[in-house]
Amino acid sequence: MSTVTLSAPKAGAANGIDYLFLSAAMIATAILVALVLLDGQTASAGLILGGFALGVAFLKAEFSYTASWRRFIARGEAGGLLGGLIVIAVAALAVVPVAALSKNFGGAIAPIGPSLLVGSFVFGIGMQLANGCGSGTLYTAGGGSGRMLIALAFFVIGSVFGSLSLPGFLALGGINPILASDYLGPWGGLAATLASLVVVAAIVVAIARKRGANYKPSRTYIVGGVIIGLLCIAVFAAGGHPWSVTFGYTVWGAKIFNALGFDFSHAEFWQWPGPKHALSESVLSDTSSLTDFGMVFGAMAAAAATKRFAATAWPPFKSLLAAAIGGLLCGWGARLGFGCNIGAFIGGVASGSVHGWIWFVCAMAGSFVGIQFRPLFGLSKD
């Protein structure tokens, strides 16, 4: 008679808790908070904790812009897309008026030109191949997805290439940023922003109903949207500007390339005041990096508290190749397009900036193209 050898269960496996990774996430977060507090950076501690909470919220609500956009394009399902609009509506309640009334706060604004159009379109393609946007890549990587670690690594590389390309695209010209509050005042700008969200939501619902698809967001998306929107306000309050994800990737990549001997002293982007300061100083002085770190550890903690961390098998090579190519496109596109779904779309629209809606339309078009390529890598279209 053959015998079967059973391995001892992992500690915490019986009740679905991976104490090793849960402890690591909590300790790492505590160390980061302690470091910035010792340096007198109270607001930075708030950004780390805000990012941590966002990581938990995204993972627990399974809030995915990439998947919800794909379901809308492929099947007409609108629930996830509407959940994303709820996030913007909640965040806009604070961002539009406060950015207009206080000199200590600013919105996410950007010019409208070839850089925005090309960058957001390419990003849309990349997010469907990578199966994650800026925030999605971050929290799923933090949640233990090996595939998304590949996507994140190439996202970082692509961001550096994007930083080198951006000045040339900006030289092609464009229109200066258009901000609702500049024309209508803080409260008129807020009203216009909320009205634009209602109009887009109505269009999305009409398309879903015409296609016979579900157009009602689930309770999870509604609650998750409100919570994430409130956390966006908290990050805005701590950092002085809307939540941003991908600039941190660009800084990480440039620092790594610098350490490998690459010289950015003649790269125009890295001579601009903001990027130059971020490259020369610690990543703990970069607000985008702080929320990124917090989000990774928050997602790790949430994943470890509910299941065995990183217990799933690695996907096949073609899927990993799609993650790498998608990550590169996302990184390059995000830098040219002034951010991802978070910094450009949520941050832009929540600031009352027209570029946010243009980013959304172009990224949606790019997503349509990206979906057509997914079967080449063994990925489904929906």
Side-chain angles (χ1 to χ4, degrees):
M1 182 176 67
S2 62
T3 59
V4 177
T5 303
L6 298 177
S7 59
K10 189 175 181 179
N15 56 6
I17 299 177
D18 191 323
Y19 290 107
L20 174 62
F21 284 98
L22 177 60
S23 299
M26 300 301 291
I27 292 171
T29 303
I31 290 173
L32 282 178
V33 170
L35 287 173
V36 296
L37 287 178
L38 287 173
D39 198 35
Q41 302 178 47
T42 306
S44 295
L47 288 170
I48 295 169
L49 295 175
F52 187 95
L54 282 164
V56 173
F58 266 86
L59 192 84
K60 297 297 289 182
E62 296 183 344
F63 216 86
S64 171
Y65 289 97
T66 303
S68 62
W69 285 28
R70 186 165 62 250
R71 286 193 292 266
F72 178 71
I73 292 171
R75 302 198 296 259
E77 294 182 7
L81 194 54
L82 293 174
L85 297 182
I86 291 173
V87 174
I88 300 175
V90 173
L93 295 174
V95 176
V96 173
V98 173
L101 293 169
S102 175
K103 294 181 179 180
N104 295 323
F105 291 86
I109 62 175
I112 301 167
S115 181
L116 174 66
L117 302 178
V118 173
S120 53
F121 179 79
V122 170
F123 184 90
I125 297 174
M127 68 185 276
Q128 294 302 334
L129 293 179
N131 212 34
C133 57
S135 59
T137 302
L138 201 63
Y139 87 79
T140 49
S145 169
R147 184 183 190 279
M148 298 315 288
L149 285 173
I150 298 295
L152 178 58
F154 281 89
F155 204 136
V156 169
I157 295 171
S159 295
V160 177
F161 291 146
S163 73
L164 303 178
S165 304
L166 179 59
F169 274 86
L170 292 179
L172 298 175
I175 303 171
N176 289 331
I178 301 174
L179 202 59
S181 58
D182 287 345
Y183 296 91
L184 303 172
W187 304 112
L190 174 59
T193 299
L194 295 178
S196 71
L197 287 164
V198 171
V199 169
V200 172
I203 293 172
V204 167
V205 169
I207 292 173
R209 295 184 67 174
K210 185 175 182 179
R211 296 180 65 179
N214 176 42
Y215 60 89
K216 296 181 180 180
S218 65
R219 182 177 181 276
T220 299
Y221 265 112
I222 294 173
V223 174
V226 172
I227 291 174
I228 292 170
L230 292 172
L231 290 172
C232 285
I233 293 176
V235 169
F236 172 68
H241 60 80
W243 177 29
S244 170
V245 172
T246 58
F247 181 73
Y249 296 176
T250 311
V251 173
W252 302 348
K255 284 183 176 293
I256 293 171
F257 275 99
N258 246 354
L260 294 174
F262 289 84
D263 182 12
F264 291 101
S265 62
H266 299 293
E268 183 178 346
F269 177 89
W270 295 105
Q271 300 313 306
W272 296 344
K276 184 176 182 178
H277 178 269
L279 184 58
S280 62
E281 298 295 328
S282 165
V283 290
L284 296 183
S285 66
D286 173 44
T287 57
S288 181
S289 293
L290 291 172
T291 51
D292 287 351
F293 292 146
M295 193 170 189
V296 168
F297 294 132
M300 181 186 293
T306 55
K307 63 180 181 179
R308 287 189 58 182
F309 186 80
T312 57
W314 276 72
F317 173 76
K318 287 200 298 184
S319 179
L320 295 178
L321 180 61
I325 295 173
L328 280 174
L329 294 176
C330 281
W332 189 79
R335 200 67 285 122
L336 262 65
F338 308 103
C340 62
N341 302 62
I342 303 302
F345 179 40
I346 291 180
V349 176
S351 301
S353 178
V354 171
H355 91 278
W357 283 123
I358 295 175
W359 190 98
F360 170 71
V361 172
C362 293
M364 186 66 75
S367 286
F368 175 83
V369 174
I371 290 171
Q372 311 314 309
F373 287 123
R374 283 173 58 88
L376 298 176
F377 300 93
L379 306 173
S380 70
K381 283 191 173 184
D382 59 0

